[in-house]
Amino acid sequence: MDTFARDHLPPPALWPTIEFTTPELAYPDRLNAAAELVDVAAARFGPGRPALRTPAGEVWSYGELRTRANQVAHVLVDDLDLVAGQRVLLRSPNNPWTVAAWLGVLKAGGVVVTAMAALRTRELTPVVERTRPSIALTDPRFAADVRALPGLTVVTHDDLAARAERKPAEFTAVDTAADDVALLAPTSGSTGSPKITAHFHRDVLSIDNTFGRHVLRLVPDDLVACTAPFAFTFGLGMLVVFPLRAGACALLTETATPPQVADLVAEHGVTVLATAPTAYKAILRDGAEQKLAGLRVAVSAGEHLPRETWQRLQDRLGLRVIDGIGATELLHIFISAAGDDIRPGSTGRPVPGYRATVLGLDGEELGPGEPGRLGVIGPVGCRYLDDPRQEDYVVGGWNVTGDVFHRDEDGYFHYHARSDHMIVSSGYNIGGPEVEEAIDTHPDVLESAVVAKPDEERGSIVCAFVVLREGVEAGAAKAREIQDHVKRTIAPYKYPREVRFRTSLPRNASGKLQRFALRRIVEQEVPA
């Protein structure tokens, strides 16, 4: 009834190629993703089976989650006059009511607009202006920033729960089309201004019918933990879509440091953990990796997983971490490998349902061993909401993710850098992640990030921002020590000619490193 989301999709000529190449990806014309996720799951696995748990001991069964999602849908339609196609802003940490709200919006035919709980009014404003939600469902602890936004009916989870108590337990899901917009997800902003990605009901199921079914392979007895918030689509897949489709249970944590993650895994018997490379590295540095010994599966995404980190987890625990690359534009992971298919140092191969290539500057496909821009085609693709940057992301039908890879003779893809993280110095191409990995092997370094600093003589130089371990003294001597260490570790020409010490690195609400903020620092120092 409300056609805003469809009306503001890019023109079809600017869409990427969409392919459905496996039997699981054949969908009917009419499809409601929430009904498939919770109604089908409750019937298939039993309403009494645990679906959601929290560290505090709260447990929601599949039947309870289904009932509360239905009651949320009633609140939206009966009390708040939601009509199919209207947008609903969700702002909350990972907790059971957020899952019920997400499912309830889709059941009612609405479109979910996800927002990180950590975002402030200033950051929420452009998202709301672009997506125009009429209703906001928010955790009461994060309501003030939402109430400061104009034109929204704000309902906190406390009020939502009270209203839901009075509603019927049954709700017939709106008969949405498979290609109706279900989700508007802002990009995480690692490259600056966020874009709004639009995903259909069928897209939500497609990430499970590809990565979920062929790589992750959850089983009903799994307990899944993930440090990413739902607003980060990696977290949405790992904690909502994949567990519900498999009859598994999700352990929902609102926030957790790497040491706390290790403790939660050990204390609650987590069998599947998904987090960023930073967390795995921190757990190893703390000597806490034995707390992960009960894991059946570990997944790493968000940033490149260093080979050394992968190897140490394999050597100490026998844990072969599943690396993968995904994007908000494609909703989840599209290149990965698991088990014996893993080749350490490689990200993996295209997940069944996707194909990938490496493109040159003119859009031509490059051969094995040649680094270039990663291009991906599959059942999900980039559709920015009313944004001219659509033409930059889709090239000749390919989703061009902004990452530099090469493909080997066996079809495995090897990461070099973000295309905006490739540093050209004196004619040499230097991958920033490689330099960071070398710096991070220094025993006094906690973490690092490198960027290109404009240089009149060399074009650019490698500038490193380094966080030292507690108690280590920063200074010129330590900088030279780190530089010498890098020269011994990788090709000397790649060493950081400038080292700057910081107490922390800038990250967005999903924990992704914001190198653009560091680039801005060095670029502002250079005369025009």
Side-chain angles (χ1 to χ4, degrees), residues 244-258:
L244 290 180
R245 292 277 278 176
C249 183
L251 179 67
L252 304 181
T253 54
E254 295 196 349
T255 182
T257 63

Side-chain angles (χ1 to χ4, degrees), residues 429-477:
N429 288 331
I430 303 171
E434 182 184 17
V435 182
E436 291 166 355
E437 287 183 30
I439 295 171
D440 289 352
T441 61
H442 190 286
D444 291 339
V445 173
L446 188 63
E447 61 176 345
S448 67
V450 305
V451 297
K453 179 182 178 181
D455 181 81
E456 186 173 352
E457 182 180 344
R458 294 181 172 85
S460 297
I461 62 170
V462 178
C463 177
F465 292 83
V466 177
V467 180
L468 296 171
R469 291 182 178 277
E470 188 174 353
V472 177
E473 185 176 346

Side-chain angles (χ1 to χ4, degrees), residues 330-371:
L330 284 92
L331 200 55
H332 217 274
I333 291 173
F334 43 78
I335 291 178
S336 187
D340 293 337
D341 288 336
I342 293 174
R343 288 196 180 175
S346 137
T347 303
R349 293 185 289 193
V351 173
Y354 292 93
R355 56 189 173 103
T357 192
V358 177
L359 300 171
L361 293 177
D362 296 324
E364 75 280 13
E365 294 192 46
L366 302 179
E370 296 184 81

Side-chain angles (χ1 to χ4, degrees), residues 492-506:
Y493 72 84
K494 299 178 182 180
Y495 87 98
R497 294 180 178 271
E498 193 170 301
V499 176
R500 305 186 184 194
F501 296 107
R502 293 171 61 97
T503 56
S504 64
L505 299 177

Side-chain angles (χ1 to χ4, degrees), residues 72 76 80 88-91 101 105 135-139 155 157 160:
V72 168
L76 291 167
L80 304 176
V88 179
L89 178 71
L90 296 189
R91 182 174 187 248
V105 173
I135 299 164
L137 305 180
T138 179
D139 187 289
V155 178
H157 285 184
L160 181 64

Side-chain angles (χ1 to χ4, degrees), residues 257-267 273 283 288-289 291-292:
T257 63
Q260 290 170 334
V261 169
D263 289 340
L264 287 167
V265 169
E267 179 182 349
L273 173 65
I283 291 168
E289 64 271 12
K291 294 180 179 179
L292 307 183

